[in-house]
Amino acid sequence: MSVARAFDTVTVGEQLGPVTLPVTRTTLVAYADASLDQNPIHQDEEFATSVGLPDVIAHGMWTMGATGTVVSDWAGDTGRVVAYSTRFTKPVVVPRDGAEIVVTGVVTSVDEQARRATVELTTTAAGEKVLGRCVAVVRLD
């Protein structure tokens, strides 16, 4: 576990990342098993291409969760993320040799009274933004 971020060490404009996270087909199978989302577009290349996708794709919720991990690690604890939202804008395509997402963020505001910071996150795969309007609010010490 990380050390919780102190409020007085966080400033508007502070950058998070970039953090690069790998995603493999093994990752997708494990996530499908854990989430009970066995949609074949996440595991079966032939099926995925038959419905017009370029290859299998990562679960959107996996992408959101992986991105959330970056901000919770920055904050020092998952429980410090008090609000988190995003929109799914593009799928993360996962070819046989795997892929990666890159997460960056910036602190856009701090609330001294509530001791919270708002962080806008950007997640890309293969140079394309895959999450939109991704924002987390974290509680700080």
Side-chain angles (χ1 to χ4, degrees), residues 30-78:
Y31 186 86
D33 290 345
S35 67
L36 303 178
D37 180 353
Q38 297 294 333
N39 188 323
I41 63 173
H42 304 300
Q43 298 181 47
D44 184 333
E45 184 177 337
E46 185 177 325
F47 181 83
T49 58
S50 78
V51 297
L53 294 168
D55 212 322
V56 299
I57 61 172
H59 302 74
M61 294 301 288
W62 177 87
T63 306
M64 182 181 181
T67 299
T69 297
V70 172
V71 76
S72 65
D73 287 350
W74 174 83
D77 180 20
T78 302

Side-chain angles (χ1 to χ4, degrees), residues 5 81 88 137:
R5 292 294 304 255
V81 178
F88 304 106
V137 177

Side-chain angles (χ1 to χ4, degrees), residues 103-141:
V103 180
T104 59
V106 62
V107 176
T108 58
S109 68
V110 293
D111 180 337
E112 189 171 349
Q113 185 174 356
R115 301 186 71 77
R116 293 181 176 187
T118 300
V119 181
E120 289 187 12
L121 298 151
T122 301
T123 301
T124 60
E128 301 259 352
K129 192 172 177 180
V130 296
L131 296 178
R133 301 174 76 176
C134 192
V135 178
V137 177
V138 299
R139 180 178 47 82
L140 304 168
D141 279 349

